[in-house]
Amino acid sequence: NDGTLGASGDTCNLIGEKGNTYLRAVNALNGGRGFEVSAGGANPIYYRFSYTIVAFEKGEWETQGRPEAERLFRNVSFIMGQGAGCPDSVTQEQALIANETKTIYMTSRGPERILTERGYQPYFFSIHLNSNNYPFLGLRHYSLQGARTVAIVYEVLGNLFFTGLGTEAPRLAEQFGYDILYTSNFTYLSDGVTQDFGSLVSHLDAIAALQPDVIVLAFNNDAHRVAFDHLRTIRPQLSLKGIWAPQVPWSGSTCAGFGVNCTHAVGATQIGNEEADAQHDVVLDCSYEEYVNLTSLAEGNAYVATDVPSGFSAFIQSVQAVFRYRSLADPTTLFDDDEYELVVAHMASGIYIGDTFHGPVAFNQYGHNEGRNPSTLQTGEDGTSKAIFPSEYAEASYLYPAPGATPCPDGYETSFPPNTCVLCSPRCHKAEDKNYIPDVVLISIRTLVGIVVFASVAAIIWTKYNIGHSVIRQSQPEFLILIALGALISTSSIIPLSFDDRSEGADLACAMFPWFYCIGFNLSFHSLFAKVLRVKAIMDAVGMALTRVRVDLCYYFYRYLALPMLVEFALLMAYTMVDPMRYQRECDKFDEFGLCVSSYGRCVTSESGAIIGGCILLWHVISLIYGVYLCYRTRHMPSELNESSWISIALFSNLQIIVLAVPIIALISRDATTNSTQFVMLSMALWLNDSAILSMVFVPKIWRWWLYDPDTAPTKIISQRIRPDHHGKSGGASASPNASQLRFAWTNEFNTSGGNKTSSSNKGFGGETNGSNRSKAGSSKSSNAQGYQGVAPNQVAQGPPGIAGDAPYNPGRLSGYSSYSGNLQGALEEVEDESESKDAEVQGTYDVRTADLGTGKTWHGDDALAELGLDEQASQHEED
């Protein structure tokens, strides 16, 4: 019938509309007589087409289409078969029927496999260019512009168009010298219906890791959408210079509706709009633009109608060429079987057939049109594609590499706004100044940390190595080791502070900082407290009665070191569980795009965390103040027992550093420009704290150790207290006489000096002052005795030197206390010399005490003499 279309609505029905329009125009030629054939004579013969258009329902090829094909194909001279949008398998089935009937079958389908898959078919032709070669011009010009690497992904879903593109692209890439980095495909899931988009995404991720210059994508619209959406999400990892995709010219040059998302992508089609307008059809003798304007195509989709009309035109021009100089046996039938075979042979010869609306036509050995190259287009920034090749029909200039591959200038950072296209220019903005701590500062601070760490380790080793030495034993070596270890750990807290977001673990480093600092603080400072408290305990025991006192190491360790550590540990656990410190970067300056251009990072915590941190800091301040107080209390203890002056200097220095540094750091913490200053101040505060402790505790001891002389150095610290028997004084056994009858008392101090010992005695014996100088065993001994009670009972006390001989002596002055180093030998000898008779009544008692800080023990009276090895001399003294 006369061009009546079926009601299926399938896109392949367009062949009816296209063909009907063209054949009407052909039949209208030469005054309605049709196209002319010379037939070797002077007078041409004119022919018209009598044609039938048959449409069958989609999916009903076997029931509707095949019967019609078998009936019609035997009785016609030319078949314009179905094309794009129809199942390729049905097209191949129709072609097989045509070959059986030896009838020319022309399709408007591009994949070469359609023509070759069912074997050689001499009557099977395609007016379409070979779509497998669509990437030809794109890859060629990519290569000419410097592209060297390519990756390819395509579908294997039964559509020979996409599969043909994917399988042919590697051959074209090799032809132009590309290095093919990746090629793969995806298909259906196990259900045979759902496309395996997960596999597609995996392929794209693998390609992104390889960073090719160009990628070729060959799959349907749904997969195209998935691919471009995913490429946008991984845009920061990509630096693509070009993308080739067949969708670029589709749907009215809108990249199948994707528009600006396809910007700068390159694709190809059978023929571009500008190129089609310029094509001239020899049969109708007009351009395609004129043809569209003269027909009903002007009212519809104009530029999809070049292929089907050109198929008819190629057949007509082949007939005209064969019979240009050849007469017709029967003009009424145009040609018999032999003459028909001549037309088929002419079409299959590969020679130029003629010009059509689809451009020049020439069929290769497979029946494919290869009269020209496909048109290549590129999507512009407005989302519509324009021809770039062939250059004579270019509507826009070719752009390679894509703007997205061009890095931002130095000093600027790259960002990608949401929904930006894959190949579009990145947003270049001034590089964010993150105010990182300069490397020279980090190196300097870490060097200082290394110095303290080395000094701490050296101090521990020195203490352990010399633990039996008198200087070390008197200095309580257990606490010395803990002090050095605490300084090491506390100083190490500077290292976590030096971490930033350039490395992993910044949050963990911030959370660990208070643990390092607080544990180190407790070990060092509370060890100092325990050390001073033990000395204070010895001092407090001086005023006690004659009793033995043990200053236990474990007691002081657990009470003054372990318990504070438990308090600190509880606070740290609360800090960590409630809101641990974390690394946070904050922007303080933005550009006109709202992008950050200046920021700073630091360890931060919330308000609740700050409260707990404040409690920890307050605990430390109180501890330091109490430590200074203890040093003040023990300031008069002998230097061998006590380092209160050095420790007080260290504690006061640390207290001062904390009180000054914390407010200053808090004030400048919000200013990004002081980021390095904050770090330096906090690091130096920590470093000065710990270095001060090490210096004040170990340097004096090392100096004493260096100058130590075993012949002159004391091994025991002895205190002697003389307590008179008088009413109101501790230790008195009976009521004392009045002041005029009271013997005065004094204390002796003995100092030994190596091998030369001198002894002098100044004592008050009823107004007499006796002196004694003795030399013994090649040595001289000096004893300054002030007020030892050892005179006759009726003598009147005249007081110690400097008090008038007959003046009453204030009993309150009789409880003086002093300490001396050495042994008690000199004291016992002096007592013997100054006793006027064995029967002299001793009205007072003596108290000898000794302390050994190496063991933490204090002895009194006889125990002290026994400890000193002087118990036999003491017994003799008592007899005297």
Side-chain angles (χ1 to χ4, degrees), residues 589-612:
K589 187 180 294 184
F590 298 88
D591 63 9
E592 64 273 18
F593 301 110
L595 300 175
C596 184
V597 295
S598 177
S599 67
Y600 65 97
R602 59 174 180 166
C603 294
V604 298
T605 186
S606 67
E607 183 177 350
S608 56
I611 293 174
I612 300 175

Side-chain angles (χ1 to χ4, degrees), residues 120 259 673:
Y120 176 66
T673 61

Side-chain angles (χ1 to χ4, degrees), residues 435-451 493-503 583 601 675-680 683-684 687:
N435 296 293
Y436 285 124
I437 300 170
D439 290 340
V440 64
V441 174
L442 291 175
I443 294 173
S444 300
I445 294 298
R446 288 170 179 171
T447 301
L448 293 177
V449 172
I451 292 173
S493 66
I494 297 175
I495 299 301
L497 285 177
S498 65
F499 280 75
D500 52 44
D501 50 9
R502 289 176 291 186
S503 58
Y583 192 86
N675 205 31
S676 298
T677 305
Q678 297 172 43
F679 171 72
V680 171
S683 299
M684 290 304 299
W687 186 84

Side-chain angles (χ1 to χ4, degrees), residues 328-390:
L328 294 169
D330 183 4
T332 61
T333 60
L334 184 59
F335 36 58
D336 57 21
D337 291 344
D338 292 336
E339 292 170 330
Y340 187 79
E341 291 300 321
L342 291 175
V343 175
V344 174
H346 179 78
M347 292 178 64
S349 65
I351 65 173
Y352 167 73
I353 301 298
D355 291 336
T356 67
F357 292 146
H358 207 59
V361 175
F363 298 102
N364 63 13
Q365 68 272 28
Y366 304 115
H368 238 136
N369 179 13
E370 56 178 18
R372 60 177 178 83
N373 287 319
S375 297
T376 299
L377 300 87
Q378 188 171 39
T379 303
E381 294 183 356
D382 60 354
T384 60
S385 58
K386 295 178 175 58
I388 53 175
F389 304 114

Side-chain angles (χ1 to χ4, degrees), residues 219-465:
F219 31 70
N220 60 79
N221 290 351
D222 292 337
H224 178 86
R225 180 179 293 104
V226 171
F228 269 70
D229 287 345
H230 185 67
L231 288 173
R232 283 202 301 270
T233 63
I234 61 175
R235 178 71 191 281
Q237 289 80 46
L238 289 172
S239 59
L240 290 175
K241 298 178 181 179
I243 294 178
W244 191 97
Q247 281 84 1
V248 168
W250 294 0
S251 302
S253 301
T254 62
C255 195
F258 294 100
V260 293
N261 289 329
C262 281
T263 300
H264 308 305
V266 173
T269 187
Q270 290 290 311
I271 191 166
N273 294 350
E274 291 293 326
E275 188 174 1
D277 281 345
Q279 299 306 312
H280 182 271
D281 182 67
V282 173
V283 175
L284 295 183
D285 193 24
C286 69
S287 68
Y288 183 70
E289 183 177 20
E290 294 171 336
Y291 168 73
V292 169
N293 292 330
L294 292 173
T295 63
S296 60
L297 291 177
E299 301 174 2
N301 191 350
Y303 297 113
V304 296
T306 59
D307 48 3
V308 172
S310 297
F312 287 111
S313 178
F315 173 70
I316 293 171
Q317 292 186 62
S318 294
V319 171
Q320 290 174 334
V322 169
F323 294 103
R324 179 169 291 118
Y325 305 107
R326 184 182 182 90
S327 61
L328 294 169
D330 183 4
T332 61
T333 60
L334 184 59
F335 36 58
D336 57 21
D337 291 344
D338 292 336
E339 292 170 330
Y340 187 79
E341 291 300 321
L342 291 175
V343 175
V344 174
H346 179 78
M347 292 178 64
S349 65
I351 65 173
Y352 167 73
I353 301 298
D355 291 336
T356 67
F357 292 146
H358 207 59
V361 175
F363 298 102
N364 63 13
Q365 68 272 28
Y366 304 115
H368 238 136
N369 179 13
E370 56 178 18
R372 60 177 178 83
N373 287 319
S375 297
T376 299
L377 300 87
Q378 188 171 39
T379 303
E381 294 183 356
D382 60 354
T384 60
S385 58
K386 295 178 175 58
I388 53 175
F389 304 114
S391 57
E392 58 267 31
Y393 301 111
E395 302 172 274
S397 59
Y398 170 57
L399 182 62
Y400 181 89
T406 303
C408 292
D410 292 340
Y412 286 80
E413 288 190 347
T414 301
S415 63
F416 303 96
N419 299 322
T420 185
C421 78
V422 178
L423 297 176
C424 290
S425 299
R427 176 180 290 170
C428 295
H429 57 92
K430 189 175 181 181
E432 179 182 350
D433 181 5
K434 295 188 175 182
N435 296 293
Y436 285 124
I437 300 170
D439 290 340
V440 64
V441 174
L442 291 175
I443 294 173
S444 300
I445 294 298
R446 288 170 179 171
T447 301
L448 293 177
V449 172
I451 292 173
V452 172
V453 169
F454 175 80
S456 301
V457 173
I460 293 173
I461 295 174
W462 176 78
T463 302
K464 293 289 290 184
Y465 183 78

Side-chain angles (χ1 to χ4, degrees), residues 113-131:
R113 187 176 169 185
I114 294 176
L115 284 79
T116 61
E117 191 173 45
R118 300 294 183 92
Y120 176 66
Q121 300 176 67
Y123 298 91
F124 192 8
F125 296 89
S126 176
I127 191 62
H128 266 199
L129 304 172
N130 186 352
S131 59

